[in-house]
Amino acid sequence: MLIKEGIEKAGSINKLGRELGYRSRVHPGWSIRQILLGYQPFPTDRLKRLASYLDRPIDDVLQHQTRPAAVTLESTKVALYKYGLGCYYPR
């Protein structure tokens, strides 16, 4: 939900990546995609930037934490579809 809001506010996943401090010239949104798919955790410093970017207190953002063991292929698919991000459907 939070990443979707960030993408909508920024205008694209690459622009959100730049807002969060990812500096790849080719694909700054790559790390965001990896986070969406559950392949890498959300670094705390980037999470704080996302909270600031969305004008939300960090405590509200931290309420959406997921235990690493709960991140499965099926749970990821359900979450992506629930928030309208089915285009990032993992293979």
Side-chain angles (χ1 to χ4, degrees):
M1 172 186 74
L2 295 170
I3 294 175
K4 181 180 179 183
E5 285 181 34
I7 292 169
E8 289 172 354
K9 183 173 180 180
S12 75
I13 196 166
N14 284 338
K15 289 180 183 175
L16 177 61
R18 286 186 190 98
E19 290 291 335
L20 297 182
Y22 293 105
R23 297 291 174 216
S24 168
R25 286 180 289 172
V26 178
H27 203 312
W30 179 252
S31 292
I32 305 295
R33 291 178 194 271
Q34 297 300 299
I35 291 166
L36 275 173
L37 297 175
Y39 296 151
Q40 76 181 50
F42 215 126
T44 305
D45 61 325
R46 310 287 182 174
L47 196 57
K48 288 178 182 176
R49 281 186 176 194
L50 179 63
S52 175
Y53 184 67
L54 295 175
D55 298 320
R56 290 182 179 236
I58 189 67
D59 294 335
D60 289 349
V61 173
L62 291 176
Q63 291 176 358
H64 297 281
Q65 288 185 76
T66 303
R67 293 182 336 275
V71 179
T72 64
L73 187 59
E74 190 59 33
S75 69
T76 300
K77 289 178 185 179
V78 168
L80 290 172
Y81 277 112
K82 180 178 177 183
Y83 294 107
L85 296 167
C87 57
Y88 299 107
Y89 187 80
R91 295 181 195 180

